Amino acid sequence: MHRPTVTDLNSSAPAPSWPENMPLIIETSRRRSVDYGLRPESVADFSPLARSDLSVLIEQNRLLHAHAVPAMETLYQQIVNTHNMVILTDATGVIVHSLGDDDFLEKASRVALQPGVAWSEASKGTNAIGTAIAENSPTLVHADQHYLAANHFLTCSAAPITDHLGKVIGVLDVSGDQRSFHKHTMALVRMSALMIENQLFSATFEDAITLHFHTRPEFIGTLMEGIASFSPGGRFLAANRNGLFQLGLPFSALQSHTFSSLFGLPVSALFEHYRTAAPGLLTLCMHNGVRVYGRAQLRLANNVFQQSLSGERTAPANPATAAAGANQAAAQARRLSGLRYLRTGDPQLELVIDKVTRVLGRDIPIMIMGETGTGKELLAQAIHNDSPRAMSPFVAVNCASIPETLIESELFGYEDGAFTGARKKGAVGKILQANGGTLFLDEIGDMPFSLQARLLRVLQERMVTPLGSDKSIPVNVELICATNHNLRERMARGLFREDLYYRLNGLVVKLPPLRERTDLETVVKKILSTQAEHGRYYVSPEILALFRQHRWPGNFRQLTNLLRTAIVMAGDEMEICLRHMPDDFLDDIEQSPDPDTTVDAAASTERLLAQGASLDEMEQSVIAKSLAANGGNVSATARALGVSRNTIYRKIPGLK
């Protein structure tokens, strides 16, 4: 999806130029402030919600929070170092999440621009957040336009976030020092709010046909596109703001329409279009005679897909299934959503991103190498989200986690009765689910050898034949694979097909392990900002030094779990210290050999060899060095050398 950008947000401007209706909005808001009993010199209530109440509030706004955070990160990158902060509130104006420049946060704390504090008009008088809610309109409040004198140092740009029915469910706001006002800020806030609305819209209608359309094809996939969702049978469900505008009908009138009546195409023809090997944009004629271009997402349950093709009626979606889909969408929204967010300053990673950027949309398969936990799936998702297929499915398959007896049916699907225990009416395989989008085969090196030939045939012929069927179905997918194995070694051992290897490795990139990266501090800050529901946690210098010393065998997966645990242990303390670290991590640190000691021991061994020392003498020398490095602690020495305590005592007879 198109991301809002601005060429320069650091330059300041003189007195802002207001839209014509803004003075009227401010005046109307000021009258409401008086009616609330507030006075300009009043001292507002800046006390935040209790921690438990704030946790409940965040849970109540879980989907909003999950979809807004990535957009907030994007917005913040556009205004970084401009003495501003980005704020998300609920429908009543209570702050749910915030992030901003450190140099402005201290000023912001004076007026409690922090999670848990209410910024409704009834609480703070005229302010961008509260007034945007009251007016259901983007609102800019600058300097002394704030009703309370305490807030005159602020300039604030806020836009309401609405659901598919037009109801305000939250507010996105940028607040900063009034001297840092920039005319572009409001435009960025409005575009970011629209981005959040579109993502929430898509998450709301999981089991549906969703059409992205516009009169100009180049606008599909941007914030200008219209989006409309329909039931599997074609009944109109909802449309986003731009969709309603382009359709030219009020929501109440659209409820009696279908996909066919609005766009002149039967649902069955839509499905047939997406069965082709390379489905292009649809050309549709709207009910008013206007021609539009469209791209549909068929995010339907497998059985619904089959029933829709045959014209059968379907039962309403199971609420539990819908809730699970919402949870999955929320989890997905928490992921960093594009390649630009993975740029954290490490030169090795920068080179990887530059390489994959060059092949986006070129139908070149990508192979991602790297140790377990280095973020291979995260990179694959980012590649998909930045590709021309971003609006189509991203389907991930872990070849190592699916039992060998089931992986064939998972990948290729099956017909009714294909094998004992097969689901009635069969199932669509992962490859067909990814049709038009991206198929990510994780741990491809663990794919059973017997299936590798069939996968190769699918990739070459672009046709899939489900188990138990004699019909081949055209398929068009972008392929990304990942592995922590050395595939050349597996080929030499006869575990991986050479022809499949050369079909998969169009571009091979290797993700560096965490211990080799130079951006550890930035990575830690980013993980803390995404894992903490509220609060600005940070690690102490002592902990950061330990992090740099650690080998991180589990890479980012290990680091993320460690920080999540540390956040819980820290509680209300914002600084994560040694006492918040789990014991197993501290044990690993204690057992890690000192690099300097290792070098000294190696040098000492070389000297002894040159002097013709015996093996026993060399062993005793190494043990003595290690004992000295560990302060005479026999247990620590045994762990460092990988031997038993008895071995230490046997080699050093005089040791007590």
Side-chain angles (χ1 to χ4, degrees):
M1 178 166 288
H2 175 74
R3 303 291 181 184
T5 59
V6 64
T7 56
D8 179 21
L9 284 175
N10 294 317
S11 60
S12 59
S17 175
W18 309 111
E20 290 183 2
N21 63 334
M22 191 58 76
L24 178 60
I25 289 178
I26 298 298
E27 184 60 36
T28 304
S29 173
R30 283 179 170 274
R31 286 198 294 268
R32 287 194 296 265
S33 302
V34 173
D35 293 341
Y36 288 131
L38 298 172
R39 295 293 179 266
E41 65 278 2
S42 299
V43 178
D45 179 13
F46 291 144
S47 56
L49 293 174
R51 187 181 181 90
S52 58
D53 292 335
L54 180 57
S55 297
V56 171
L57 180 70
I58 292 174
E59 178 60 28
Q60 290 171 342
N61 293 273
R62 176 171 45 84
L63 277 181
L64 172 64
H65 181 270
H67 287 276
V69 168
M72 293 174 71
E73 289 184 352
T74 304
L75 179 56
Y76 178 57
Q77 287 178 359
Q78 303 298 323
I79 63 171
V80 67
N81 298 325
T82 60
H83 309 286
N84 280 281
M85 64 188 304
V86 184
I87 296 169
L88 175 72
T89 80
D90 72 350
T92 66
V94 178
I95 297 177
V96 176
H97 184 67
S98 65
L99 59 144
D101 293 342
D102 292 336
D103 58 355
F104 179 70
L105 291 178
E106 184 179 352
K107 291 183 179 179
S109 66
R110 299 207 306 261
V111 290
L113 281 168
Q114 64 188 43
V117 177
W119 278 80
S120 63
E121 280 190 341
S123 172
K124 304 294 187 295
T126 302
N127 73 90
I129 294 171
T131 305
I133 294 173
E135 298 286 343
N136 191 4
S137 175
T139 303
L140 172 62
V141 179
H142 181 70
D144 58 4
Q145 290 187 329
H146 288 87
Y147 186 76
L148 296 183
N151 296 333
H152 285 183
F153 75 97
L154 294 171
T155 183
C156 306
S157 303
I161 301 169
T162 61
D163 62 13
H164 63 282
L165 298 176
K167 177 184 176 184
V168 176
I169 58 173
V171 172
L172 184 67
D173 169 82
V174 168
S175 292
D177 190 306
Q178 58 98 358
R179 293 170 297 180
S180 67
F181 169 80
H182 197 287
K183 61 183 178 180
H184 291 305
T185 303
M186 175 57 86
L188 289 177
V189 172
R190 293 181 68 172
M191 287 191 289
S192 299
L194 182 58
M195 186 187 304
I196 297 169
E197 288 181 359
N198 287 350
Q199 292 172 351
L200 284 168
F201 182 94
S202 297
T204 301
F205 300 100
E206 283 291 298
D207 186 22
I209 302 166
T210 300
L211 181 72
H212 302 257
F213 64 99
H214 199 279
T215 54
R216 295 174 59 179
E218 64 269 23
F219 284 161
I220 294 178
T222 74
L223 293 176
M224 304 301 294
E225 69 179 358
I227 307 177
S229 285
F230 301 83
S231 71
R235 179 175 53 84
F236 175 83
L237 296 174
N240 72 341
R241 294 193 196 197
N242 287 337
L244 291 173
F245 175 77
Q246 292 189 58
L247 289 168
L249 292 173
F251 182 80
S252 56
L254 287 168
Q255 287 180 299
S256 62
H257 277 275
T258 65
F259 183 89
S260 179
S261 66
L262 287 173
F263 294 101
L265 185 73
V267 170
S268 58
L270 178 69
F271 286 133
E272 286 301 322
H273 173 78
Y274 281 97
R275 283 191 181 277
T276 61
L281 289 179
L282 293 157
T283 301
L284 304 167
C285 183
M286 292 201 299
H287 63 97
N288 54 10
V290 175
R291 185 178 70 172
V292 296
Y293 299 90
R295 178 185 292 119
Q297 289 178 288
L298 312 178
R299 295 180 299 175
L300 312 173
N302 294 337
N303 61 322
V304 174
F305 180 85
Q306 299 296 335
Q307 291 167 359
S308 296
L309 285 176
S310 61
E312 297 178 21
R313 294 182 61 84
T314 58
N318 186 325
T321 303
N327 290 336
Q328 185 178 5
Q332 184 69 12
R334 282 191 288 270
R335 292 177 177 271
L336 300 177
S337 54
L339 291 169
R340 61 185 297 179
Y341 305 115
L342 302 184
R343 294 185 184 273
T344 49
D346 180 75
Q348 296 181 77
L349 187 60
E350 291 286 330
L351 184 60
V352 169
I353 294 174
D354 288 342
K355 286 181 178 179
V356 298
T357 301
R358 291 176 180 271
V359 301
L360 290 178
R362 300 294 184 88
D363 195 26
I364 294 176
I366 298 173
M367 174 76 73
I368 305 172
M369 314 287 285
E371 297 178 6
T372 298
T374 49
K376 295 188 290 292
E377 183 172 353
L378 188 64
L379 175 60
Q381 179 75 65
I383 292 171
H384 169 76
N385 288 346
D386 280 358
S387 76
R389 298 173 182 255
M391 304 306 296
S392 299
F394 174 86
V395 178
V397 181
N398 189 313
C399 300
S401 65
I402 303 174
E404 185 171 344
T405 54
L406 296 179
I407 191 170
E408 187 173 13
S409 60
E410 283 287 318
L411 279 176
F412 305 108
Y414 56 86
E415 293 290 312
D416 185 9
F419 53 87
T420 303
R423 187 186 306 164
K424 262 193 168 184
K425 299 191 178 181
V428 177
K430 298 292 187 181
I431 296 177
L432 272 179
Q433 290 177 29
N435 191 21
T438 301
L439 177 67
F440 174 55
L441 297 178
D442 197 7
E443 305 299 351
I444 186 68
D446 292 301
M447 174 174 280
F449 191 83
S450 58
L451 288 186
Q452 293 175 22
R454 189 168 180 193
L455 175 62
L456 177 63
R457 188 165 60 251
V458 169
L459 297 178
Q460 289 177 338
E461 299 176 358
R462 295 183 178 254
M463 302 284 285
V464 171
T465 305
L467 296 180
S469 173
D470 57 0
K471 294 181 180 178
S472 295
I473 304 172
V475 65
N476 173 30
V477 297
E478 192 77 49
L479 188 65
I480 303 176
C481 297
T483 183
N484 61 357
H485 290 296
N486 184 322
L487 293 186
R488 290 184 179 273
E489 288 183 1
R490 292 183 73 79
M491 283 193 295
R493 294 162 54 195
L495 299 175
F496 201 84
R497 293 180 63 99
E498 186 174 354
D499 48 5
L500 178 59
Y501 173 79
Y502 289 111
R503 180 63 181 80
L504 297 177
N505 76 336
L507 171 68
V508 179
V509 294
K510 184 176 182 180
L511 286 176
L514 182 56
R515 62 183 173 274
E516 294 180 6
R517 290 181 53 159
T518 60
D519 56 351
L520 179 61
E521 185 173 1
T522 303
V523 168
V524 168
K525 288 181 179 179
K526 207 167 189 65
I527 293 175
L528 287 174
S529 69
T530 57
Q531 294 299 323
E533 293 183 345
H534 48 79
R536 294 179 55 81
Y537 289 92
Y538 61 95
V539 298
S540 67
E542 177 189 18
I543 294 299
L544 193 58
L546 290 179
F547 283 179
R548 291 196 174 101
Q549 175 186 339
H550 194 44
R551 299 294 294 167
W552 298 111
N555 290 294
F556 292 98
R557 190 175 294 120
Q558 180 186 4
L559 176 60
T560 300
N561 287 335
L562 178 70
L563 291 175
R564 289 179 62 188
T565 303
I567 289 170
V568 174
M569 299 301 295
D572 292 329
E573 301 177 56
M574 294 295 100
E575 184 180 52
I576 295 175
C577 303
L578 194 62
R579 62 180 176 275
H580 303 137
M581 292 291 102
D583 292 342
D584 60 341
F585 172 75
L586 297 177
D587 288 343
D588 288 344
I589 291 293
E590 182 182 341
Q591 294 175 26
S592 297
D594 185 338
D596 295 334
T597 302
T598 303
V599 171
D600 289 345
S604 176
T605 302
E606 288 181 2
R607 285 196 302 271
L608 288 170
L609 280 171
Q611 296 167 6
S614 68
L615 181 60
D616 283 341
E617 289 173 334
M618 286 189 289
E619 288 178 342
Q620 290 172 356
S621 174
V622 170
I623 292 172
K625 289 276 187 183
S626 184
L627 277 168
N630 288 286
N633 188 315
V634 175
S635 297
T637 300
R639 285 196 300 268
L641 296 176
V643 298
S644 68
R645 287 163 51 93
N646 289 337
T647 300
I648 302 294
Y649 287 118
R650 190 174 68 253
K651 295 291 183 180
I652 312 290
L655 192 64
K656 295 182 178 181

